[in-house]
Amino acid sequence: MELDFIRKLVKPAKTKIVLLIMDGIGGLPRELDNLTELEGANTPNLDMLAKKGICGLQQPVGPGITPGSGPGHLGVFGYDPVKYQVGRGVLAALGIGFDLQSGDVAARGNFCTIDENGNITDRRAGRIATEFNQKLCKLLQEKINIPGVDVFVKTVKEHRFLLVLRGRNLSGEILDTDPQETGKKPFSARVKKDEANHTAELVDNFLDQARQILQNEHPANMVLLRGFSERPNWPTYEEVFGIKSAAIAAYPMYKGVAKLIGMNVLETGSTIEEEFSTLEDNWNDYDFFYLHVKKTDSAGEDGDFDRKVSIIEKTDKEIPRLLDLNPDVIIVTGDHSTPALMKAHSWHPVPTLLFSKNCRPDKVDSFGERACITGGLGPRFPAVDLIPLALANAERIEKFGA
């Protein structure tokens, strides 16, 4: 739904909405018990919300399209991810509070492991500790010198870092150097448009120097770059939806996507329990809360089915704290599916529940993929419809037409 259309219909109200995104929540059934991670988890509180609310499976981008975290979140936030595109570099920069200026080109980096032939053996370098990342970023920052540009190398978290190039005539129209597979060599910088040829040369210079500097480090002896981008200028949540919004997220990338659309990012701890405490502490100050649980996705990417189940169960145990706050609307969903069986993001539509006093309940009585496919929201509805539905249930949308 077009943002300009929604903007004309929103109206003020003293109602509160909570959007709980369990990153990568969707899964596939394993052979052992023919259950997905969500179906196999013990989730009495989410099941109760599903039974009292309305459910379905949302498609973050479109049928058959596997979304990255940025497009997945933007779709759920109500921004058409095909129209509103931004690279992970910008999101990483905003997520760590980097002062990204007009004309800067940002990229999200991974420290990775390569073998003696230059082939990637681990795209995440064993998820190195953030402290080791800081040491490596300092090393690169001090030693890399590229004439004509300023180079910034900043730690994000674990194996992730931020690269920013600042200079004249730069372009973010560059493809990822990450082949997304082990057993392959990192790509050199390749351009989407000829205007980026100069920037690609600078990126290749950075990569060559990084490889030399890191060659004796272990397990992080090379880097991969993704999401080259420049900061866009988009309408904010308050401008479009008329709500004062806050984001509660422990990982920088998700703080970044929230900042990009004007949400106020709240300081929070790294655990699920601490994130719910942040929600409680700030309840009176905002109309809309986005609360992000990351480690469901990490467990899925690691192929750890049981760990993903345990994180879902930990989240479920915090739901009574949310209910005690008496929100008018609760949405629980994910930004995409990350089945542990695939160890990667997938195209499968994402389980979703919407709970409010104004919703029309369906026959779903548990929160899981096979249950949600029968729900009233539909088996494959566009993610961008979620926020308008939430606003309507929160009595924040005027009647359209006479």
Side-chain angles (χ1 to χ4, degrees):
M1 196 173 295
E2 287 292 327
L3 297 184
D4 284 342
F5 176 70
I6 290 292
R7 190 198 312 244
K8 296 172 184 176
L9 295 177
V10 296
K11 65 179 182 180
K14 294 181 179 180
T15 51
K16 291 182 182 288
I17 301 167
V18 176
L19 169 64
L20 170 59
I21 292 185
M22 301 172 69
D23 205 300
I25 187 63
L28 291 172
R30 61 179 175 182
E31 188 174 344
L32 175 66
D33 52 14
N34 197 34
L35 297 175
T36 70
E37 300 94 323
L38 185 55
E39 291 169 342
N42 180 28
T43 55
N45 297 302
L46 290 171
D47 291 345
M48 177 272 295
L49 288 176
K51 188 172 184 178
K52 292 184 176 182
I54 185 169
C55 297
L57 296 173
Q58 54 93 350
Q59 196 81 62
V61 180
I65 305 300
T66 298
S69 295
H73 271 81
L74 287 169
V76 175
F77 288 158
Y79 291 69
D80 181 348
V82 177
K83 180 178 180 180
Y84 294 93
Q85 295 190 35
V86 64
R88 292 188 71 145
V90 166
L91 302 182
L94 297 177
I96 65 170
F98 183 86
D99 181 22
L100 199 63
Q101 299 180 8
S102 176
D104 288 354
V105 171
R108 213 290 297 278
N110 277 13
F111 287 106
C112 70
T113 308
I114 58 173
D115 62 20
E116 62 276 8
N117 297 315
N119 295 319
I120 301 166
T121 59
D122 187 335
R123 292 179 52 247
R124 301 178 181 88
R127 295 190 186 275
I128 58 172
T130 301
E131 293 76 16
F132 186 31
N133 178 314
Q134 292 169 334
K135 171 198 164 187
L136 297 178
C137 284
K138 182 179 180 181
L139 194 63
L140 295 175
Q141 183 71 67
E142 291 175 348
K143 292 195 173 185
I144 287 182
N145 179 42
I146 303 177
V149 291
D150 294 324
V151 178
F152 302 91
V153 185
K154 302 292 183 182
T155 295
V156 176
K157 197 177 183 74
E158 296 174 337
H159 57 284
R160 305 173 187 91
F161 70 91
L162 167 71
L163 169 67
V164 174
L165 300 178
R166 178 172 295 163
R168 299 180 62 185
N169 301 319
L170 300 181
S171 170
E173 298 293 331
I174 297 176
L175 295 167
D176 297 351
T177 71
D178 183 357
Q180 299 277 324
E181 293 181 52
T182 57
K184 291 186 176 182
K185 291 180 171 62
F187 295 127
S188 59
R190 301 156 297 150
V191 302
K192 301 176 187 176
K193 298 180 180 178
D194 287 344
E195 68 188 49
N197 285 331
H198 169 60
T199 310
E201 292 175 1
L202 300 175
V203 171
D204 281 338
N205 190 338
F206 173 86
L207 293 171
D208 289 342
Q209 291 189 50
R211 180 168 183 168
Q212 291 297 315
I213 294 166
L214 298 173
Q215 61 183 329
N216 295 320
E217 301 292 340
H218 184 78
N221 59 355
M222 187 47 184
V223 299
L224 302 170
L225 300 174
R226 300 169 60 190
F228 290 89
S229 48
E230 301 168 65
R231 182 171 184 168
N233 183 23
W234 293 346
T236 68
Y237 238 51
E238 191 157 7
E239 290 170 344
V240 177
F241 301 126
I243 47 179
K244 187 179 181 183
S245 57
I248 302 170
Y251 277 66
M253 186 267 175
Y254 309 99
K255 297 178 183 179
V257 72
K259 283 184 179 179
L260 190 60
I261 56 174
M263 291 188 188
N264 186 35
V265 175
L266 303 177
E267 289 299 318
T268 190
S270 60
T271 69
I272 297 168
E273 295 83 359
E274 288 171 322
E275 289 185 315
F276 275 85
S277 293
T278 303
L279 177 68
E280 292 169 335
D281 293 343
N282 293 273
W283 184 248
N284 294 326
D285 299 330
Y286 298 90
D287 307 315
F288 178 96
F289 293 87
Y290 148 57
L291 194 156
H292 179 261
V293 174
K294 168 61 180 171
K295 292 187 177 179
T296 34
D297 180 57
S298 303
E301 288 183 334
D302 290 344
D304 194 332
F305 192 103
D306 291 336
R307 178 157 57 94
K308 186 173 175 182
V309 168
S310 72
I311 296 161
I312 293 169
E313 292 178 343
K314 286 180 181 178
T315 306
D316 185 81
K317 289 178 180 177
E318 301 303 313
I319 296 299
R321 298 173 65 184
L322 169 58
L323 296 176
D324 286 344
L325 296 170
N326 196 29
D328 297 278
V329 180
I330 298 171
I331 295 174
V332 182
T333 189
D335 53 337
H336 53 77
S337 293
T338 308
L341 273 65
M342 294 181 67
K343 298 184 180 181
H345 293 198
S346 78
W347 62 93
H348 300 93
V350 186
T352 303
L353 72 82
L354 187 153
F355 169 81
S356 85
K357 68 178 182 180
N358 293 320
C359 73
R360 180 184 291 162
D362 50 30
K363 294 183 179 180
V364 174
D365 59 6
S366 64
F367 190 46
E369 287 83 353
R370 272 169 281 210
C372 285
I373 204 171
T374 67
L377 292 175
R380 187 179 277 117
F381 72 94
V384 292
D385 289 347
L386 268 174
I387 295 304
L389 282 170
L391 293 171
N393 276 270
E395 301 178 10
R396 287 176 172 268
I397 293 186
E398 297 275 11
K399 180 176 71 172
F400 172 63

